[in-house]
Amino acid sequence: MKAGIVGLPNVGKSTLFNCLSNAKAQSANFPFCTIEPNIGVVNVPDQRLEKLEELVNPERVVPATVEIVDIAGLVKGASKGEGLGNQFLGNIRETDAILHVLRCFDNDNVVHVDGSVDPIRDKETIDMELQLKDLDSVEKKLDKVKRAAKTGNKEAQKEEAVLTALKEGLEAGKSVRAISLSEDEREEFVRPMQLITDKPVMYVCNVDEGAAVDGNAYVEKVKQAVADENAEVIFLAVGTEADITELETYEERQMFLEDLGLSEPGSAKLIRGAYKLLDLETYFTAGVKEVRAWTIPVGATAPQAAGVIHTDFEKGFIRAEVIAYDDYVKYGSETKVKEAGRMRVEGKEYIVKDGDVMHFRFNV
């Protein structure tokens, strides 16, 4: 599962990517600096993992990860191939969620591709290009489906109605995620098309250091503009985050954050947000050899969760021994949880809860 960082050129995408992944993607004050998409595998900050490490004292700790892709800046006309348009649109189609970076700071030394700072205009520029690309896909599909619908095919007639609603919504400047459709219609007809504006989105407002704690007027405008999109808006000072990652020790980084009035880097909030945006959650395994966070889709069953460790675990699944994270912390060890009768044995139908500490029994 991958989240793609998108935005106009020079809004801070590559600098943000560097903060997140510590991979030093080239970052320069001119457009199209990022041509091939950079991919970073990023650890997901999780205080629960730190607490389990404290209680178990294992030989090693393995956090959950999420893939972040830094995609080249988009410009007007991308849907018709302008700039790096076709490549950009191909790269973004391959991601599962979008982190849309908006410039929300004034700085005469950093050029803006449109000559002035206006995050709402920037958002609309990118939205329009993505919507035009989706409209092209919808129209092509609609032409085919209409022919089948004319023969009296009931399924094709249902699909035609959905595609017509998508076409009208996109032509009115709406993204697919904001078009009113039933969950069944989305599942059956929309999701298989992998439309770009159907992907979940988080707007990342790049502010200056002075706005790192409370945001600014630009951020408020963005929040108002996306109110009907069911999208999250976060803000962080990307340049300041870059300075924090350059510091050598954890203590130095904490001092820097305290001076700014922050409890943690904004990038930590963003990574957790991306993880949630991708509809992912975490379960843990905890033993003296290793305490580890495992990534699963929300709604995964116990055998599916076991399969993340090894396919044999899923094939030969017998049962799962499950401890709620809060119980593990309350009693302090697996043994004490068992003594208190708080360990549960769950079967194949069990839906794993975020934070479960699990041990699988299997036979292959």
Side-chain angles (χ1 to χ4, degrees):
M1 299 289 277
K2 292 187 288 198
I5 301 177
V6 307
L8 291 178
N10 284 0
V11 295
K13 298 183 308 300
S14 293
T15 308
L16 175 62
F17 175 81
N18 290 341
C19 296
L20 298 178
S21 65
N22 285 332
K24 299 296 176 193
Q26 188 191 4
S27 168
N29 187 13
F30 55 87
F32 304 129
C33 178
T34 308
I35 295 176
E36 290 303 319
N38 295 295
I39 298 178
V41 179
V42 182
N43 290 341
V44 179
D46 194 329
Q47 289 177 330
R48 297 173 302 180
L49 192 65
E50 293 167 25
K51 186 66 184 171
L52 288 172
E53 179 187 7
E54 198 182 294
L55 294 170
V56 179
N57 195 22
E59 288 173 23
R60 68 177 191 147
V61 177
V62 183
T65 59
V66 62
E67 272 194 13
I68 305 283
V69 188
D70 177 26
I71 298 171
L74 186 72
V75 292
K76 273 181 194 153
S79 56
K80 297 182 176 62
E82 289 293 322
L84 298 166
N86 293 330
Q87 195 174 335
F88 171 97
L89 293 160
N91 291 335
I92 196 173
R93 201 182 284 286
E94 288 166 17
T95 64
D96 303 287
I98 296 170
L99 306 175
H100 186 159
V101 182
L102 295 166
R103 177 169 167 177
C104 293
F105 66 90
D106 296 304
N107 184 339
D108 294 339
N109 296 320
V110 180
V111 294
H112 189 291
V113 75
D114 285 331
S116 62
V117 177
D118 183 344
I120 308 307
R121 178 201 59 209
D122 295 354
K123 172 196 172 312
E124 287 168 355
T125 296
I126 288 206
D127 281 353
M128 189 189 297
E129 295 304 329
L130 301 184
Q131 287 160 5
L132 286 169
K133 195 67 182 172
D134 280 349
L135 182 59
D136 186 44
S137 302
V138 168
E139 285 175 338
K140 283 177 183 162
K141 186 85 184 275
L142 187 55
D143 284 345
K144 287 182 193 165
V145 170
K146 272 180 173 170
R147 288 196 287 275
K150 277 177 185 165
T151 67
N153 181 318
K154 291 277 189 285
E155 199 61 16
Q157 287 169 351
K158 269 167 53 183
E159 187 167 10
E160 183 186 8
V162 172
L163 290 169
T164 302
L166 289 178
K167 180 175 183 288
E168 288 169 358
L170 287 162
E171 284 173 340
K174 282 186 176 179
S175 290
V176 171
R177 73 183 81 84
I179 295 170
S180 182
L181 292 167
S182 74
E183 195 48 44
D184 287 347
E185 288 170 332
R186 285 189 178 278
E187 205 54 53
E188 192 173 351
F189 302 118
V190 183
R191 301 260 150 76
M193 292 181 72
Q194 291 188 296
L195 297 169
I196 298 170
T197 66
D198 190 37
K199 296 178 190 291
V201 65
M202 177 195 291
Y203 293 98
V204 182
C205 298
N206 182 10
V207 299
D208 55 27
E209 189 174 302
V213 177
D214 298 317
N216 57 23
Y218 290 132
V219 175
E220 292 311 310
K221 282 183 183 171
V222 172
K223 285 179 179 174
Q224 287 166 19
V226 306
D228 68 334
E229 279 193 48
N230 193 24
E232 193 175 345
V233 178
I234 71 164
F235 58 88
L236 68 163
V238 174
T240 307
E241 297 281 328
D243 293 340
I244 293 169
T245 60
E246 294 296 323
L247 296 171
E248 293 295 318
T249 67
Y250 173 78
E251 287 74 20
E252 285 177 312
R253 290 194 287 274
Q254 287 307 111
M255 279 171 64
F256 195 134
L257 288 166
E258 280 169 25
D259 286 346
L260 291 172
L262 295 169
S263 57
E264 65 174 355
S267 54
K269 192 168 52 174
L270 188 148
I271 295 164
R272 284 197 298 271
Y275 195 70
K276 197 170 144 199
L277 201 62
L278 290 163
D279 217 19
L280 301 174
E281 62 186 12
T282 303
Y283 77 86
F284 301 102
T285 51
V288 288
K289 288 276 182 202
E290 178 183 89
V291 165
R292 184 168 187 149
W294 299 89
T295 299
I296 51 170
V298 171
T301 62
Q304 287 167 337
V308 174
I309 300 176
H310 198 288
T311 50
D312 285 352
F313 281 32
E314 184 169 3
K315 283 181 202 155
F317 179 89
I318 300 169
R319 65 179 185 273
E321 294 167 356
V322 184
I323 302 170
Y325 169 78
D326 288 343
D327 282 341
Y328 205 109
V329 172
K330 180 180 174 183
Y331 295 101
S333 73
E334 188 176 312
T335 308
K336 285 180 180 166
V337 170
K338 282 180 184 172
E339 285 168 1
R342 297 295 293 173
M343 178 185 274
R344 306 188 315 277
V345 175
E346 301 286 0
K348 289 183 178 179
E349 305 301 312
Y350 177 67
I351 303 297
V352 179
K353 293 181 178 61
D354 186 48
D356 278 349
V357 182
M358 304 185 78
H359 184 67
F360 299 104
R361 299 291 179 190
F362 70 101
N363 182 27
V364 178

